[in-house]
Structures are given as structure tokens and as C-alpha cells.
Amino acid sequence: MILEEIRKAFAILTAPTPSEIKEALSRLAPSADALASCMPVPDGLPYGREVLFRTDDVEIVLIYLPPGHESAPHDHGSSFGWECVLQGELININHSVMPDYPHGSAFVNAQEATSVTSGQVYFIEKGQIHAIRNGGQTPVISLNVYSPPLSGCKQYCLPPDRPPSHADVSTNGAAP
């Protein structure tokens, strides 16, 4: 049922703007329970991911992030996206490229962290480098919508002489 609702809400979007995607997400009002049968498990990554729907204009991915896990810093290529947290508390950590570090732009520095709790959404701009972390005791489940569909994503590294990102940043409240 929920997969059909996702299809109906997003199949009609052509070259959607961030606000059109946010509006479609708010009308959908998804829940973790409704997506339980689709729940991905981590397989080669610190989180599970399952593509639920894809057109030429949008891609919808269900993310399952176990307690204590964090993704590598990454971007979404030429896509922007919304993280819609359905369960738990996701920490979104924004990074910036370290241009003066040896080996050039492969290394990033954590800049700011934002807490996004169940029922909230968070916007990831095109080109933004970020990581996601679950510092809580409950799995984080989020429904992420990207436009255009993901391609050309790049993974980044924290420099070996720097502390992990969670030691570098303070946590702010979620974006509206």
C-alpha cells in the first residue's frame, strides 16, 4: 500500500523543485511501520539502503542506520535531496573540502552537525558534502528523496591526523 502511495505522489513530478518534493513528502506522511516489509539491512555499508522508487526525475531510498553507525562523508553528485526521518535521531554532519591538505580535495573537515528527529525533514543541497550518524540507541529510519536520481556521487575521507567528525562539531537543531 505505502509503495503505491509513494509511486502516486512522486511519479507525477517532472524536474521537481525542492519545495515540490518537500510538499509531496508532507502529503505522503510515511511511517517506519508502513515500510517495515521493505526495511534494508546493512550489506557492505554501515547502513542499509533500498531504492523504493525511481523515475527519470526522482529517486526514493529507504535508509536503515543502526545505533552507533555513521556513513563516510559523501556528496550526492548532481542531485539535491530531502531526508525524512521516520524513526530515531539522525545527525547530519556537513563537511567542507580541505584545499591545502596534501592529496587535494579527497579530504574533508567537519563543519556543522544538525539533529533531525522523527517527523522532521532535512534538505541536502546539490554539491553538499555530508555524513549521517546515529548516536542514539534506536535505529534511524529515513526516507530520502533525490532529484535527479543519484549518479556521480563521491566519497571523501577525514584526514588521518584529524579526530573523527563527531569530535569536531556541535549539534544544532533541525532545519525547517
Side-chain angles (χ1 to χ4, degrees), residues 8-61:
K8 285 180 182 177
F10 291 96
I12 61 172
L13 298 179
T14 304
T17 64
S19 60
E20 288 172 326
I21 289 178
K22 185 178 182 185
E23 184 178 319
L25 269 172
S26 68
R27 283 193 313 266
L28 184 63
S31 72
D33 289 341
L35 291 163
S37 66
C38 307
M39 204 58 60
V41 295
D43 184 24
L45 294 171
Y47 55 91
R49 68 183 311 277
E50 179 71 31
V51 176
L52 299 179
F53 181 75
R54 184 182 169 121
T55 68
D56 290 341
D57 296 293
V58 296
E59 180 174 11
I60 301 174
V61 179

Short mmCIF file of all heavy atoms in Angstrom, two decimals, residues 8-61:
data_model
loop_
_atom_site.label_atom_id
_atom_site.label_comp_id
_atom_site.label_asym_id
_atom_site.label_seq_id
_atom_site.Cartn_x
_atom_site.Cartn_y
_atom_site.Cartn_z
N LYS A 8 2.38 7.09 -6.55
CA LYS A 8 1.40 8.11 -6.95
C LYS A 8 1.88 9.52 -6.62
O LYS A 8 1.66 10.45 -7.39
CB LYS A 8 0.06 7.85 -6.26
CG LYS A 8 -0.72 6.71 -6.85
CD LYS A 8 -2.03 6.53 -6.11
CE LYS A 8 -2.81 5.35 -6.65
NZ LYS A 8 -4.05 5.14 -5.89
N ALA A 9 2.52 9.69 -5.47
CA ALA A 9 2.95 11.02 -5.03
C ALA A 9 4.12 11.56 -5.86
O ALA A 9 4.22 12.77 -6.08
CB ALA A 9 3.35 10.97 -3.56
N PHE A 10 4.99 10.66 -6.33
CA PHE A 10 6.21 11.13 -6.98
C PHE A 10 6.28 10.88 -8.47
O PHE A 10 7.06 11.53 -9.16
CB PHE A 10 7.43 10.53 -6.27
CG PHE A 10 7.62 11.08 -4.89
CD1 PHE A 10 7.12 10.41 -3.79
CD2 PHE A 10 8.24 12.30 -4.70
CE1 PHE A 10 7.26 10.94 -2.51
CE2 PHE A 10 8.38 12.84 -3.43
CZ PHE A 10 7.89 12.16 -2.34
N ALA A 11 5.47 9.99 -9.02
CA ALA A 11 5.52 9.70 -10.46
C ALA A 11 5.09 10.91 -11.29
O ALA A 11 5.50 11.04 -12.44
CB ALA A 11 4.65 8.50 -10.80
N ILE A 12 4.28 11.77 -10.73
CA ILE A 12 3.78 12.93 -11.47
C ILE A 12 4.77 14.09 -11.52
O ILE A 12 4.57 15.02 -12.27
CB ILE A 12 2.44 13.42 -10.86
CG1 ILE A 12 2.64 13.85 -9.41
CG2 ILE A 12 1.37 12.36 -10.99
CD1 ILE A 12 1.43 14.52 -8.79
N LEU A 13 5.85 14.02 -10.73
CA LEU A 13 6.80 15.13 -10.67
C LEU A 13 7.77 15.07 -11.84
O LEU A 13 8.38 14.04 -12.10
CB LEU A 13 7.57 15.10 -9.36
CG LEU A 13 6.75 15.26 -8.08
CD1 LEU A 13 7.66 15.19 -6.86
CD2 LEU A 13 5.95 16.55 -8.10
N THR A 14 7.91 16.20 -12.52
CA THR A 14 8.86 16.33 -13.62
C THR A 14 9.79 17.50 -13.29
O THR A 14 9.31 18.61 -13.05
CB THR A 14 8.12 16.62 -14.95
OG1 THR A 14 7.18 15.57 -15.17
CG2 THR A 14 9.09 16.70 -16.11
N ALA A 15 11.10 17.21 -13.24
CA ALA A 15 12.10 18.22 -12.86
C ALA A 15 11.63 19.00 -11.62
O ALA A 15 11.53 20.23 -11.65
CB ALA A 15 12.40 19.16 -14.02
N PRO A 16 11.34 18.30 -10.53
CA PRO A 16 10.77 18.96 -9.36
C PRO A 16 11.74 19.91 -8.66
O PRO A 16 12.96 19.70 -8.68
CB PRO A 16 10.40 17.80 -8.44
CG PRO A 16 11.36 16.73 -8.81
CD PRO A 16 11.58 16.88 -10.29
N THR A 17 11.17 20.92 -8.06
CA THR A 17 11.95 21.83 -7.22
C THR A 17 12.03 21.23 -5.82
O THR A 17 11.23 20.35 -5.47
CB THR A 17 11.25 23.20 -7.13
OG1 THR A 17 10.00 23.03 -6.46
CG2 THR A 17 11.06 23.83 -8.50
N PRO A 18 12.96 21.71 -5.00
CA PRO A 18 13.00 21.24 -3.61
C PRO A 18 11.66 21.41 -2.88
O PRO A 18 11.24 20.52 -2.15
CB PRO A 18 14.10 22.08 -2.98
CG PRO A 18 15.03 22.39 -4.12
CD PRO A 18 14.10 22.59 -5.31
N SER A 19 10.99 22.53 -3.11
CA SER A 19 9.71 22.74 -2.40
C SER A 19 8.63 21.77 -2.88
O SER A 19 7.79 21.35 -2.09
CB SER A 19 9.24 24.19 -2.52
OG SER A 19 9.05 24.55 -3.85
N GLU A 20 8.63 21.40 -4.17
CA GLU A 20 7.65 20.43 -4.66
C GLU A 20 7.87 19.05 -4.03
O GLU A 20 6.91 18.36 -3.69
CB GLU A 20 7.72 20.33 -6.18
CG GLU A 20 7.17 21.55 -6.90
CD GLU A 20 7.42 21.53 -8.39
OE1 GLU A 20 8.46 21.00 -8.84
OE2 GLU A 20 6.56 22.05 -9.12
N ILE A 21 9.13 18.67 -3.85
CA ILE A 21 9.42 17.38 -3.22
C ILE A 21 9.04 17.42 -1.75
O ILE A 21 8.43 16.48 -1.24
CB ILE A 21 10.90 16.99 -3.42
CG1 ILE A 21 11.11 16.62 -4.89
CG2 ILE A 21 11.29 15.84 -2.49
CD1 ILE A 21 12.52 16.26 -5.25
N LYS A 22 9.37 18.51 -1.06
CA LYS A 22 9.00 18.62 0.35
C LYS A 22 7.49 18.55 0.52
O LYS A 22 6.99 17.89 1.43
CB LYS A 22 9.56 19.91 0.94
CG LYS A 22 9.32 20.03 2.43
CD LYS A 22 9.92 21.30 2.98
CE LYS A 22 9.72 21.39 4.48
NZ LYS A 22 10.20 22.67 5.03
N GLU A 23 6.76 19.20 -0.36
CA GLU A 23 5.30 19.18 -0.29
C GLU A 23 4.76 17.76 -0.52
O GLU A 23 3.86 17.30 0.18
CB GLU A 23 4.71 20.14 -1.34
CG GLU A 23 3.21 20.25 -1.27
CD GLU A 23 2.68 21.24 -2.30
OE1 GLU A 23 3.29 22.31 -2.47
OE2 GLU A 23 1.64 20.93 -2.92
N ALA A 24 5.32 17.04 -1.50
CA ALA A 24 4.89 15.66 -1.76
C ALA A 24 5.17 14.77 -0.55
O ALA A 24 4.35 13.93 -0.18
CB ALA A 24 5.58 15.11 -3.01
N LEU A 25 6.32 14.96 0.08
CA LEU A 25 6.65 14.20 1.29
C LEU A 25 5.65 14.49 2.41
O LEU A 25 5.21 13.59 3.11
CB LEU A 25 8.06 14.54 1.78
CG LEU A 25 9.19 13.70 1.26
CD1 LEU A 25 10.54 14.29 1.67
CD2 LEU A 25 9.08 12.26 1.70
N SER A 26 5.29 15.76 2.59
CA SER A 26 4.38 16.10 3.67
C SER A 26 2.98 15.54 3.43
O SER A 26 2.30 15.14 4.36
CB SER A 26 4.34 17.62 3.88
OG SER A 26 3.73 18.26 2.79
N ARG A 27 2.55 15.49 2.17
CA ARG A 27 1.24 14.89 1.86
C ARG A 27 1.26 13.38 2.07
O ARG A 27 0.26 12.79 2.44
CB ARG A 27 0.84 15.21 0.42
CG ARG A 27 0.33 16.61 0.20
CD ARG A 27 -0.34 16.75 -1.17
NE ARG A 27 0.43 16.18 -2.26
CZ ARG A 27 1.27 16.87 -3.03
NH1 ARG A 27 1.47 18.15 -2.82
NH2 ARG A 27 1.92 16.28 -4.02
N LEU A 28 2.39 12.76 1.82
CA LEU A 28 2.52 11.31 1.94
C LEU A 28 2.49 10.87 3.40
O LEU A 28 1.88 9.86 3.72
CB LEU A 28 3.84 10.88 1.28
CG LEU A 28 4.13 9.40 1.20
CD1 LEU A 28 3.10 8.68 0.35
CD2 LEU A 28 5.52 9.18 0.62
N ALA A 29 3.16 11.60 4.28
CA ALA A 29 3.23 11.28 5.71
C ALA A 29 3.59 9.80 5.94
O ALA A 29 2.82 9.06 6.55
CB ALA A 29 1.93 11.65 6.41
N PRO A 30 4.76 9.36 5.47
CA PRO A 30 5.15 7.95 5.63
C PRO A 30 5.49 7.62 7.08
O PRO A 30 5.78 8.50 7.89
CB PRO A 30 6.40 7.84 4.75
CG PRO A 30 6.99 9.23 4.78
CD PRO A 30 5.79 10.16 4.85
N SER A 31 5.45 6.32 7.40
CA SER A 31 5.84 5.87 8.74
C SER A 31 6.79 4.69 8.62
O SER A 31 6.75 3.95 7.63
CB SER A 31 4.61 5.47 9.57
OG SER A 31 4.09 4.25 9.09
N ALA A 32 7.61 4.51 9.64
CA ALA A 32 8.54 3.37 9.67
C ALA A 32 7.77 2.06 9.66
O ALA A 32 8.17 1.10 8.99
CB ALA A 32 9.45 3.47 10.89
N ASP A 33 6.67 1.98 10.40
CA ASP A 33 5.87 0.75 10.45
C ASP A 33 5.33 0.38 9.07
O ASP A 33 5.33 -0.80 8.69
CB ASP A 33 4.71 0.89 11.43
CG ASP A 33 5.17 0.91 12.88
OD1 ASP A 33 6.31 0.48 13.16
OD2 ASP A 33 4.39 1.38 13.73
N ALA A 34 4.88 1.37 8.31
CA ALA A 34 4.32 1.10 6.99
C ALA A 34 5.37 0.56 6.02
O ALA A 34 5.05 -0.15 5.07
CB ALA A 34 3.69 2.36 6.41
N LEU A 35 6.65 0.88 6.28
CA LEU A 35 7.74 0.44 5.40
C LEU A 35 8.51 -0.75 5.96
O LEU A 35 9.54 -1.13 5.41
CB LEU A 35 8.68 1.62 5.15
CG LEU A 35 8.07 2.72 4.28
CD1 LEU A 35 8.85 4.02 4.41
CD2 LEU A 35 7.99 2.27 2.84
N ALA A 36 8.02 -1.37 7.03
CA ALA A 36 8.75 -2.46 7.69
C ALA A 36 9.07 -3.61 6.73
O ALA A 36 10.16 -4.20 6.81
CB ALA A 36 7.94 -2.98 8.88
N SER A 37 8.19 -3.92 5.81
CA SER A 37 8.44 -5.04 4.90
C SER A 37 9.53 -4.73 3.87
O SER A 37 10.05 -5.64 3.23
CB SER A 37 7.14 -5.42 4.16
OG SER A 37 6.74 -4.37 3.32
N CYS A 38 9.90 -3.47 3.74
CA CYS A 38 10.94 -3.05 2.78
C CYS A 38 12.27 -2.74 3.45
O CYS A 38 13.21 -2.33 2.79
CB CYS A 38 10.49 -1.79 2.05
SG CYS A 38 8.89 -1.87 1.29
N MET A 39 12.35 -2.92 4.77
CA MET A 39 13.50 -2.45 5.54
C MET A 39 14.80 -3.12 5.09
O MET A 39 14.92 -4.33 5.12
CB MET A 39 13.27 -2.70 7.03
CG MET A 39 14.05 -1.78 7.92
SD MET A 39 13.71 -0.02 7.65
CE MET A 39 11.97 0.10 8.00
N PRO A 40 15.77 -2.31 4.67
CA PRO A 40 17.05 -2.87 4.23
C PRO A 40 17.96 -3.17 5.42
O PRO A 40 17.80 -2.60 6.50
CB PRO A 40 17.65 -1.74 3.39
CG PRO A 40 17.09 -0.49 4.00
CD PRO A 40 15.70 -0.87 4.49
N VAL A 41 18.89 -4.08 5.22
CA VAL A 41 19.89 -4.38 6.24
C VAL A 41 21.24 -3.91 5.72
O VAL A 41 21.47 -3.90 4.51
CB VAL A 41 19.95 -5.89 6.60
CG1 VAL A 41 18.65 -6.33 7.23
CG2 VAL A 41 20.25 -6.72 5.37
N PRO A 42 22.14 -3.51 6.62
CA PRO A 42 23.47 -3.12 6.16
C PRO A 42 24.15 -4.29 5.43
O PRO A 42 24.11 -5.42 5.90
CB PRO A 42 24.21 -2.77 7.46
CG PRO A 42 23.11 -2.39 8.41
CD PRO A 42 21.96 -3.30 8.04
N ASP A 43 24.71 -4.00 4.28
CA ASP A 43 25.39 -5.01 3.49
C ASP A 43 26.56 -4.35 2.77
O ASP A 43 26.39 -3.79 1.69
CB ASP A 43 24.43 -5.65 2.50
CG ASP A 43 25.06 -6.79 1.70
OD1 ASP A 43 26.04 -7.38 2.19
OD2 ASP A 43 24.58 -7.08 0.59
N GLY A 44 27.73 -4.35 3.43
CA GLY A 44 28.89 -3.72 2.85
C GLY A 44 29.01 -2.24 3.16
O GLY A 44 30.00 -1.60 2.83
N LEU A 45 28.01 -1.67 3.77
CA LEU A 45 27.99 -0.27 4.20
C LEU A 45 27.61 -0.24 5.67
O LEU A 45 27.04 -1.21 6.18
CB LEU A 45 26.96 0.53 3.40
CG LEU A 45 27.18 0.72 1.91
CD1 LEU A 45 25.95 1.34 1.25
CD2 LEU A 45 28.41 1.60 1.65
N PRO A 46 27.85 0.88 6.37
CA PRO A 46 27.42 0.95 7.77
C PRO A 46 25.90 1.11 7.92
O PRO A 46 25.39 1.16 9.02
CB PRO A 46 28.16 2.18 8.32
CG PRO A 46 28.60 2.95 7.15
CD PRO A 46 28.65 2.02 5.97
N TYR A 47 25.20 1.19 6.81
CA TYR A 47 23.75 1.36 6.84
C TYR A 47 23.14 0.52 5.72
O TYR A 47 23.82 0.11 4.77
CB TYR A 47 23.36 2.83 6.64
CG TYR A 47 23.94 3.45 5.39
CD1 TYR A 47 23.24 3.42 4.19
CD2 TYR A 47 25.20 4.05 5.41
CE1 TYR A 47 23.78 3.97 3.05
CE2 TYR A 47 25.74 4.60 4.27
CZ TYR A 47 25.04 4.56 3.09
OH TYR A 47 25.57 5.09 1.95
N GLY A 48 21.85 0.24 5.84
CA GLY A 48 21.13 -0.43 4.78
C GLY A 48 20.45 0.60 3.90
O GLY A 48 20.02 1.64 4.39
N ARG A 49 20.35 0.31 2.62
CA ARG A 49 19.66 1.22 1.70
C ARG A 49 18.89 0.40 0.68
O ARG A 49 19.38 -0.62 0.20
CB ARG A 49 20.61 2.20 1.03
CG ARG A 49 21.58 1.59 0.06
CD ARG A 49 22.57 2.59 -0.56
NE ARG A 49 22.03 3.80 -1.11
CZ ARG A 49 21.50 3.92 -2.33
NH1 ARG A 49 21.44 2.90 -3.14
NH2 ARG A 49 21.04 5.09 -2.75
N GLU A 50 17.67 0.84 0.40
CA GLU A 50 16.81 0.15 -0.56
C GLU A 50 16.12 1.19 -1.43
O GLU A 50 15.43 2.08 -0.90
CB GLU A 50 15.76 -0.68 0.18
CG GLU A 50 14.80 -1.42 -0.70
CD GLU A 50 15.44 -2.58 -1.43
OE1 GLU A 50 16.37 -3.19 -0.88
OE2 GLU A 50 14.99 -2.88 -2.55
N VAL A 51 16.34 1.11 -2.74
CA VAL A 51 15.65 2.01 -3.65
C VAL A 51 14.20 1.53 -3.75
O VAL A 51 13.94 0.40 -4.15
CB VAL A 51 16.31 2.04 -5.04
CG1 VAL A 51 15.51 2.91 -6.00
CG2 VAL A 51 17.76 2.53 -4.94
N LEU A 52 13.27 2.40 -3.38
CA LEU A 52 11.85 2.05 -3.39
C LEU A 52 11.15 2.48 -4.67
O LEU A 52 10.17 1.86 -5.08
CB LEU A 52 11.13 2.69 -2.20
CG LEU A 52 11.60 2.29 -0.81
CD1 LEU A 52 10.80 3.04 0.25
CD2 LEU A 52 11.52 0.79 -0.62
N PHE A 53 11.66 3.55 -5.29
CA PHE A 53 11.01 4.09 -6.48
C PHE A 53 12.00 4.96 -7.23
O PHE A 53 12.81 5.65 -6.61
CB PHE A 53 9.78 4.92 -6.06
CG PHE A 53 9.01 5.49 -7.20
CD1 PHE A 53 8.18 4.68 -7.98
CD2 PHE A 53 9.10 6.83 -7.51
CE1 PHE A 53 7.48 5.21 -9.05
CE2 PHE A 53 8.39 7.37 -8.57
CZ PHE A 53 7.57 6.56 -9.35
N ARG A 54 11.90 4.91 -8.56
CA ARG A 54 12.81 5.73 -9.38
C ARG A 54 12.15 6.05 -10.71
O ARG A 54 11.54 5.19 -11.34
CB ARG A 54 14.11 4.99 -9.60
CG ARG A 54 15.15 5.78 -10.36
CD ARG A 54 16.40 4.95 -10.58
NE ARG A 54 17.27 5.64 -11.51
CZ ARG A 54 18.49 6.02 -11.25
NH1 ARG A 54 19.04 5.73 -10.09
NH2 ARG A 54 19.21 6.66 -12.15
N THR A 55 12.26 7.33 -11.09
CA THR A 55 11.87 7.78 -12.43
C THR A 55 13.07 8.52 -13.01
O THR A 55 14.14 8.57 -12.38
CB THR A 55 10.66 8.74 -12.39
OG1 THR A 55 11.05 9.97 -11.76
CG2 THR A 55 9.47 8.12 -11.67
N ASP A 56 12.90 9.15 -14.15
CA ASP A 56 13.98 9.97 -14.70
C ASP A 56 14.22 11.23 -13.87
O ASP A 56 15.24 11.89 -14.04
CB ASP A 56 13.65 10.38 -16.15
CG ASP A 56 13.71 9.21 -17.11
OD1 ASP A 56 14.34 8.18 -16.78
OD2 ASP A 56 13.12 9.33 -18.21
N ASP A 57 13.27 11.56 -12.97
CA ASP A 57 13.33 12.82 -12.23
C ASP A 57 13.54 12.68 -10.72
O ASP A 57 13.99 13.62 -10.08
CB ASP A 57 12.06 13.63 -12.49
CG ASP A 57 11.95 14.03 -13.95
OD1 ASP A 57 12.78 14.84 -14.40
OD2 ASP A 57 11.05 13.51 -14.64
N VAL A 58 13.17 11.55 -10.15
CA VAL A 58 13.30 11.36 -8.70
C VAL A 58 13.76 9.93 -8.37
O VAL A 58 13.50 9.01 -9.14
CB VAL A 58 12.00 11.66 -7.92
CG1 VAL A 58 11.58 13.10 -8.04
CG2 VAL A 58 10.89 10.73 -8.31
N GLU A 59 14.40 9.81 -7.24
CA GLU A 59 14.76 8.51 -6.69
C GLU A 59 14.45 8.54 -5.20
O GLU A 59 14.81 9.49 -4.50
CB GLU A 59 16.25 8.23 -6.90
CG GLU A 59 16.69 6.90 -6.35
CD GLU A 59 18.14 6.58 -6.71
OE1 GLU A 59 18.87 7.45 -7.20
OE2 GLU A 59 18.53 5.43 -6.46
N ILE A 60 13.77 7.50 -4.72
CA ILE A 60 13.39 7.43 -3.32
C ILE A 60 14.07 6.22 -2.70
O ILE A 60 13.93 5.10 -3.19
CB ILE A 60 11.86 7.35 -3.17
CG1 ILE A 60 11.25 8.58 -3.82
CG2 ILE A 60 11.47 7.23 -1.70
CD1 ILE A 60 9.76 8.59 -3.89
N VAL A 61 14.82 6.49 -1.63
CA VAL A 61 15.64 5.46 -0.99
C VAL A 61 15.28 5.37 0.49
O VAL A 61 15.22 6.39 1.18
CB VAL A 61 17.15 5.79 -1.14
CG1 VAL A 61 18.01 4.75 -0.46
CG2 VAL A 61 17.53 5.93 -2.60
#
